[in-house]
Amino acid sequence: MANKQLNNLLDNLKTKNFDKIKTWLDTVHPVDLAEILTELKDEEILAIYELMDYEQLAEMIEEADEKAQIRLLKLLDLDEIIQVFSYMSADNITDIMGNLPFNETKQLLKMMKEENAGTIRHLLGYYSDTAGGLMTTEFIALKENLTTTEALLKIKQIGPKTEIIETIFVVDESKRLVGTVDLRDILVAPDDQPLKEITDYNVISVLPGTDQEKVAMIVSKYDLTVIPVVNRRGVLIGIITVDDIIDVIEAENTEDMFKMVGINDEEQVISPVRISIRKRLPWLYVNLITAFTASFTIGLFEDVIAQVVILATFLPIVAGLGGNSGQQSLAVMIRGLALGEIDFKNSKETLFKEILIGLINGTAIGIVTGLIAYFWRGNFFIGLVIFLAMVINMVIGALMGSLIPLGLKAVGIDPALASSIFLTATTDTFGFLIFLLLSSLFLKFMI
Amino acid sequence: MANKQLNNLLDNLKTKNFDKIKTWLDTVHPVDLAEILTELKDEEILAIYELMDYEQLAEMIEEADEKAQIRLLKLLDLDEIIQVFSYMSADNITDIMGNLPFNETKQLLKMMKEENAGTIRHLLGYYSDTAGGLMTTEFIALKENLTTTEALLKIKQIGPKTEIIETIFVVDESKRLVGTVDLRDILVAPDDQPLKEITDYNVISVLPGTDQEKVAMIVSKYDLTVIPVVNRRGVLIGIITVDDIIDVIEAENTEDMFKMVGINDEEQVISPVRISIRKRLPWLYVNLITAFTASFTIGLFEDVIAQVVILATFLPIVAGLGGNSGQQSLAVMIRGLALGEIDFKNSKETLFKEILIGLINGTAIGIVTGLIAYFWRGNFFIGLVIFLAMVINMVIGALMGSLIPLGLKAVGIDPALASSIFLTATTDTFGFLIFLLLSSLFLKFMI
């Protein structure tokens, strides 16, 4: 469908059918418009810009993804950018400016009205992965001593400039947040009812320095559509809306999955190869070191393998199943920690549960493997050794799969960080060690 | 903090200080209340129920997690449950009833007012992982021929019963959805302005059968706080609010990470051991089969290993690095598909990119490994063979890490399903095969 729209647009551009393009611009969704425009050449985009007003440009650029935002903005000169910004909310302007070269940011700030520049400068000061970096400063705050009629009047005045309107924040004389009022309650309240009577004083807020992952967890837990940000004195300084929270949740989930397998930061599908390599290669070298550790472990038993070469064939089974049993525990732990289902309070319980599962699954898998090995190689002791090695290694897998993320979290590191690499390092090394140690113990029965 | 509240509550219960408990009940957040109550014994919960009204009970049960919901509800008799339900929205009642035994659901439906029962029966008919299963039927729909003054009057009447109020849906004479109006626009509009003039006719909707993952993707892409559900004739039949979408996103993310390592469905940290085993063990058996394939591959070269035993020590390095390089591609692909960044259109491009990354990283890692092997074992050909095997296996890893999720998606299966197990099966088997084949070619130079 987008393709058809793109072709129509190109046709209309070629035939200079600008009226048709104008009509289309009024109906297309800004998100789709941004997607379609980024398929065009610069001069084609500029021709379409001629047909758009600043408000349309603002809507489109606001909703485009990061990469497109920069490209679409670079085609405007600084004066035009200032005009476009006048239709955007402060948090979006901040996000966009955070991605521009520092010189441009500085020039733009100079050109803005002092009041707006102050807000942006303030927001740029917060780290982008904290509540302060996510929040916007456009919200409705009403003094608690108003009546509902006065409140409604205020809302009609401020409303169009704010991002969210159904939740109204109530503050005291010192602008400290004291509660919230639902717009629906104001609408149905009798005239001149004191606002205090319908205020919900049970309000959840975060500090500007609160980590975005923590903010997302609170919003998700309490089913909020907006969360207020207050400073240490309790003064309301901003709000975070749920659409920004969804982006945080998706980004954090991507980060968890990537970190687990050793990819630094968030890598997007569109990243150039050079950047992908810089994000992945360092962890592959770490993986190489752990792989050599496992390799040296086998090297210690070269004489054992020389006597019973078939032992080499069982090495990947012991290591592989231990690794996979551990991966399962790892996935449960990482998600449990991310969703707040696991904390240090119940971690012991979870750890015991994972070890028990490792033991049961290990026994179930170990028996089958031992029997197959026994019948394949016709030697009871080979079957016994592989059974024992698998049970032990699958318990180690479950134990380490749980301990690694808990340990990383305990020392303040992301629980997912390269956890998959550290896990297989343990299950490989210990798997080989246990299997070959047991084999050398029973060596005389195997030859 | 919750612990302190729990202890206070227990103290107050023991000393029968019910007034204090009542005051506390008015200030505690329903989510926290549910969490605290589930720590108590049944008779203690019942004592606290005595102090709560049906509205408080409804709020608490609505916000509790699934397991707590059932426990907290079971303590009420059916009459009381009906009273509690009267304070809940239809979608929440449906969710709760979907988890109750079928007999109770049937009895409850009989006891409800016919009108409400009809709605619930209708909602229960949709699969819980579709738009129909997520939607609620409480929304504000206004006819497009109203004026803003008439609209505001209607909103004041219906408002308190709906879930979301800032977005008002506009329908035609046949109840077909035609657009949306922002409440803020109605509030600031001049008296008696036709609703048509401020209606946004560019509205995005989904069908009741649309998969919840797809719904979440649309909501996230277009930054919506609510999405309307229409039937095939375009009639508005329900809405889905963003708080339910967040739950979907988190559930889908958990599912992806779990499926990747071979855990069926969503397993929660609180699942009993028995259920965890049933979800994980089948995939461990699949893993066992693939591990034996890798094992048989080594078995084919037993005579080669017997002549150069040190080859056995390099097996885990070739397999491990190929596997990890593949895991990185796998993670990028699974997230790219989940976020809609990758589709079949750009999949070829992504595939080439991953293979190129595999080749570059493989060469970088292969050279180092080859050199270490050369100096460690003092044989140039061992270094050469391991270098070649690693480059090839890391390219295979990247290739398979990309192809497995794409292939699963192409045949309509979840792209994450056991992909990690299938991936390591390939990188293990091919890694051993390539390394041992090359070794047997250069065998005479290694002895």
Side-chain angles (χ1 to χ4, degrees):
Chain A
M1 211 190 78
N3 259 328
K4 209 180 131 197
Q5 290 192 52
L6 175 62
N7 290 335
N8 279 341
L9 177 62
L10 285 172
D11 286 347
N12 287 329
L13 262 183
K14 218 176 279 172
T15 55
K16 295 194 194 298
N17 199 339
F18 295 128
D19 281 346
K20 265 221 167 133
I21 297 179
K22 264 197 141 157
T23 324
W24 172 74
L25 284 171
D26 286 336
T27 59
V28 66
H29 195 286
V31 174
D32 298 324
L33 180 59
E35 263 182 21
I36 291 168
L37 285 203
T38 47
E39 302 271 324
L40 301 183
K41 298 194 201 90
D42 282 359
E43 55 272 23
E44 289 166 343
I45 297 178
L46 284 170
I48 290 165
Y49 276 9
E50 291 291 318
L51 307 171
M52 294 169 73
D53 57 32
Y54 290 123
E55 189 171 357
Q56 282 177 317
L57 279 170
E59 271 177 10
M60 177 187 70
I61 291 171
E62 220 168 19
E63 307 245 359
D65 63 40
E66 250 176 53
K67 208 185 156 192
Q69 256 175 358
I70 295 175
R71 184 169 166 223
L72 294 171
L73 212 61
K74 290 242 160 171
L75 296 172
L76 300 168
D77 59 37
L78 290 178
D79 285 322
E80 290 171 322
I81 293 180
I82 294 288
Q83 292 289 343
V84 168
F85 278 176
S86 70
Y87 291 96
M88 288 187 184
S89 65
D91 63 331
N92 283 325
I93 300 177
T94 310
D95 286 349
I96 293 172
M97 289 184 65
N99 290 325
L100 292 177
F102 182 66
N103 270 340
E104 276 178 48
T105 308
K106 236 171 75 181
Q107 266 189 287
L108 284 170
L109 281 173
K110 259 191 222 159
M111 293 165 69
M112 281 184 193
K113 279 193 216 139
E114 188 41 47
E115 184 198 334
N116 299 339
T119 310
I120 306 287
R121 238 182 244 120
H122 181 67
L123 289 176
L124 281 170
Y126 293 112
Y127 288 109
S128 64
D129 58 353
T130 62
L134 286 174
M135 72 184 183
T136 182
T137 48
E138 286 103 358
F139 53 84
I140 304 186
L142 299 177
K143 296 253 163 71
E144 58 177 338
N145 51 15
L146 296 183
T147 66
T148 50
T149 314
E150 291 165 338
L152 200 55
L153 213 71
K154 271 265 180 214
I155 292 165
K156 283 186 185 176
Q157 285 165 11
I158 323 174
K161 286 185 226 150
T162 70
E163 274 221 3
I164 197 137
I165 198 177
E166 54 169 7
T167 305
I168 315 285
F169 297 94
V170 181
V171 294
D172 66 11
E173 286 301 320
S174 324
K175 293 189 176 169
R176 276 192 297 253
L177 177 69
V178 294
T180 59
V181 176
D182 263 19
L183 178 60
R184 75 182 78 184
D185 292 335
I186 296 182
L187 281 179
V188 301
D191 283 352
D192 291 318
Q193 187 181 14
L195 204 57
K196 274 182 186 166
E197 289 178 10
I198 54 171
T199 297
D200 179 2
Y201 286 96
N202 198 359
V203 58
I204 296 163
S205 61
V206 290
L207 292 168
T210 308
D211 185 84
Q212 61 175 6
E213 204 169 353
K214 176 91 191 171
V215 179
M217 216 188 264
I218 294 172
V219 169
S220 163
K221 179 176 177 185
Y222 295 101
D223 283 348
L224 308 175
T225 51
V226 58
I227 189 164
V229 183
V230 299
N231 68 16
R232 296 240 162 244
R233 282 179 299 121
V235 173
L236 179 62
I237 56 173
I239 62 167
I240 303 169
T241 52
V242 73
D243 53 322
D244 294 326
I245 293 296
I246 287 186
D247 297 342
V248 169
I249 291 175
E250 289 291 19
E252 293 286 343
N253 283 319
T254 304
E255 204 184 285
D256 275 358
M257 200 180 260
F258 283 11
K259 281 209 168 142
M260 191 168 104
V261 297
I263 304 179
N264 283 326
D265 306 325
E266 194 180 346
E267 181 196 300
Q268 285 188 316
V269 180
I270 43 154
S271 312
V273 171
R274 179 175 44 82
I275 293 190
S276 298
I277 287 173
R278 209 163 55 204
K279 285 179 175 171
R280 302 188 201 180
L281 191 55
W283 286 113
L284 290 174
Y285 278 115
V286 173
N287 191 196
L288 187 62
I289 296 170
T290 66
F292 264 107
T293 317
S295 165
F296 286 125
T297 315
I298 301 178
L300 297 174
F301 296 90
E302 268 170 37
D303 55 324
V304 179
I305 296 173
Q307 292 177 67
V308 191
V309 177
I310 50 167
L311 290 178
T313 61
F314 290 110
L315 292 174
I317 299 180
V318 177
L321 269 292
N324 199 229
S325 145
Q327 294 274 11
Q328 293 179 337
S329 301
L330 193 65
V332 169
M333 272 296 182
I334 289 177
R335 285 305 288 165
L337 287 168
L339 295 173
E341 289 173 6
I342 301 176
D343 46 37
F344 291 113
K345 214 179 67 188
N346 64 9
S347 63
K348 210 186 264 176
E349 196 184 318
T350 320
L351 193 64
F352 280 131
K353 188 188 146 192
E354 287 302 318
I355 294 172
L356 184 60
I357 294 172
L359 185 66
I360 296 171
N361 282 345
T363 310
I365 294 284
I367 288 173
V368 176
T369 320
L371 284 174
I372 295 175
Y374 167 52
F375 287 113
W376 183 20
R377 300 305 189 170
N379 182 309
F380 171 75
F381 289 95
I382 287 184
L384 178 68
V385 164
I386 196 149
F387 163 73
L388 290 174
M390 289 193 76
V391 175
I392 298 172
N393 203 32
M394 284 175 74
V395 170
I396 290 177
L399 175 71
M400 294 308 291
S402 315
L403 275 187
I404 291 169
L406 282 175
L408 288 172
K409 172 121 185 164
V411 295
I413 299 174
D414 190 317
L417 187 68
S419 48
S420 181
I421 293 173
F422 295 135
L423 172 71
T424 41
T426 334
T427 48
D428 276 8
T429 306
F430 278 91
F432 298 150
L433 187 68
I434 293 157
F435 177 64
L436 292 170
L437 253 176
L438 287 171
S439 298
S440 57
L441 278 178
F442 291 96
L443 193 61
K444 56 174 181 248
F445 306 110
M446 291 184 183
I447 301 170
Chain B
M1 208 189 82
N3 258 328
K4 209 181 133 194
Q5 290 191 51
L6 174 63
N7 289 335
N8 277 341
L9 176 63
L10 285 172
D11 285 347
N12 286 330
L13 263 182
K14 217 175 282 172
T15 55
K16 295 195 193 298
N17 199 339
F18 295 128
D19 282 345
K20 265 222 168 130
I21 297 179
K22 264 195 142 157
T23 324
W24 173 74
L25 284 171
D26 287 335
T27 59
V28 66
H29 194 286
V31 173
D32 298 324
L33 180 59
E35 262 183 22
I36 291 168
L37 284 203
T38 47
E39 303 269 326
L40 301 182
K41 299 195 201 89
D42 283 359
E43 54 273 24
E44 289 166 340
I45 298 178
L46 284 170
I48 289 164
Y49 277 8
E50 291 291 321
L51 307 172
M52 295 168 72
D53 57 32
Y54 290 123
E55 189 172 356
Q56 282 178 316
L57 279 172
E59 273 178 9
M60 177 188 69
I61 290 171
E62 220 168 18
E63 308 244 1
D65 64 39
E66 250 175 53
K67 207 185 156 192
Q69 256 175 358
I70 296 175
R71 183 166 169 226
L72 294 171
L73 212 60
K74 290 243 159 168
L75 295 172
L76 300 167
D77 60 38
L78 290 178
D79 285 321
E80 290 171 321
I81 293 179
I82 294 288
Q83 292 289 344
V84 168
F85 278 177
S86 69
Y87 291 96
M88 287 188 185
S89 66
D91 63 331
N92 282 326
I93 300 177
T94 310
D95 286 348
I96 293 172
M97 288 181 69
N99 290 325
L100 291 178
F102 183 66
N103 269 339
E104 277 180 44
T105 308
K106 236 172 74 182
Q107 267 190 284
L108 284 170
L109 281 173
K110 259 191 223 160
M111 293 165 71
M112 280 183 194
K113 281 193 216 139
E114 189 40 48
E115 184 199 333
N116 299 338
T119 310
I120 307 286
R121 239 183 243 119
H122 181 68
L123 289 176
L124 281 170
Y126 293 112
Y127 288 109
S128 64
D129 58 353
T130 62
L134 285 174
M135 73 186 183
T136 182
T137 49
E138 287 104 356
F139 52 83
I140 304 185
L142 299 177
K143 297 253 163 70
E144 56 177 338
N145 51 15
L146 295 183
T147 66
T148 50
T149 315
E150 290 166 338
L152 199 56
L153 212 70
K154 272 262 181 218
I155 292 164
K156 283 186 186 178
Q157 285 165 11
I158 321 173
K161 283 184 229 151
T162 71
E163 274 220 2
I164 198 139
I165 198 178
E166 52 168 8
T167 305
I168 315 285
F169 297 94
V170 182
V171 295
D172 67 11
E173 286 301 322
S174 323
K175 293 191 177 166
R176 277 192 297 251
L177 178 68
V178 295
T180 59
V181 176
D182 262 19
L183 177 60
R184 75 183 79 184
D185 292 335
I186 296 182
L187 281 181
V188 299
D191 283 354
D192 291 318
Q193 186 181 15
L195 205 56
K196 274 182 186 166
E197 291 178 10
I198 54 170
T199 297
D200 179 1
Y201 286 96
N202 197 0
V203 58
I204 295 161
S205 61
V206 289
L207 292 168
T210 308
D211 185 84
Q212 63 175 5
E213 204 168 354
K214 175 94 189 165
V215 178
M217 219 189 263
I218 295 171
V219 169
S220 162
K221 180 176 177 186
Y222 295 101
D223 283 348
L224 307 175
T225 51
V226 58
I227 188 163
V229 183
V230 300
N231 68 15
R232 298 240 163 244
R233 284 180 298 121
V235 173
L236 179 62
I237 56 174
I239 62 167
I240 303 170
T241 50
V242 73
D243 53 323
D244 294 326
I245 293 296
I246 287 186
D247 297 342
V248 169
I249 291 175
E250 290 290 20
E252 293 286 344
N253 282 319
T254 303
E255 204 185 284
D256 275 358
M257 200 180 259
F258 283 9
K259 282 209 167 140
M260 191 168 103
V261 297
I263 303 178
N264 284 325
D265 306 324
E266 193 180 346
E267 182 196 300
Q268 285 188 316
V269 179
I270 44 154
S271 312
V273 171
R274 179 177 44 82
I275 293 190
S276 299
I277 287 173
R278 208 162 57 205
K279 285 179 175 172
R280 303 189 200 179
L281 192 54
W283 286 114
L284 290 174
Y285 277 116
V286 173
N287 191 196
L288 187 60
I289 297 169
T290 66
F292 263 107
T293 318
S295 166
F296 285 126
T297 315
I298 301 179
L300 297 174
F301 296 89
E302 268 170 36
D303 55 324
V304 178
I305 296 174
Q307 291 175 69
V308 190
V309 176
I310 51 168
L311 291 178
T313 61
F314 290 109
L315 292 173
I317 299 180
V318 177
L321 269 292
N324 198 228
S325 146
Q327 294 274 12
Q328 293 179 336
S329 300
L330 193 65
V332 170
M333 273 296 183
I334 289 178
R335 284 306 288 165
L337 287 167
L339 294 174
E341 289 172 5
I342 301 176
D343 45 37
F344 291 114
K345 214 179 66 187
N346 64 8
S347 62
K348 210 186 264 175
E349 195 184 319
T350 320
L351 193 63
F352 281 130
K353 188 189 147 191
E354 287 302 319
I355 293 172
L356 184 60
I357 294 173
L359 185 66
I360 296 172
N361 282 344
T363 311
I365 295 284
I367 287 173
V368 175
T369 321
L371 284 174
I372 295 175
Y374 167 53
F375 287 112
W376 184 20
R377 300 305 189 171
N379 183 307
F380 171 77
F381 289 95
I382 288 185
L384 178 69
V385 164
I386 195 147
F387 164 72
L388 289 174
M390 287 194 77
V391 175
I392 299 172
N393 203 34
M394 283 174 75
V395 170
I396 290 177
L399 176 71
M400 294 308 291
S402 315
L403 274 186
I404 290 169
L406 282 174
L408 288 171
K409 173 121 186 164
V411 295
I413 297 174
D414 189 316
L417 187 67
S419 47
S420 181
I421 293 173
F422 295 135
L423 172 71
T424 40
T426 335
T427 47
D428 275 8
T429 306
F430 279 91
F432 298 150
L433 188 67
I434 293 156
F435 177 64
L436 292 170
L437 253 176
L438 287 171
S439 298
S440 58
L441 279 177
F442 291 95
L443 192 61
K444 57 174 178 247
F445 306 110
M446 290 183 182
I447 301 168

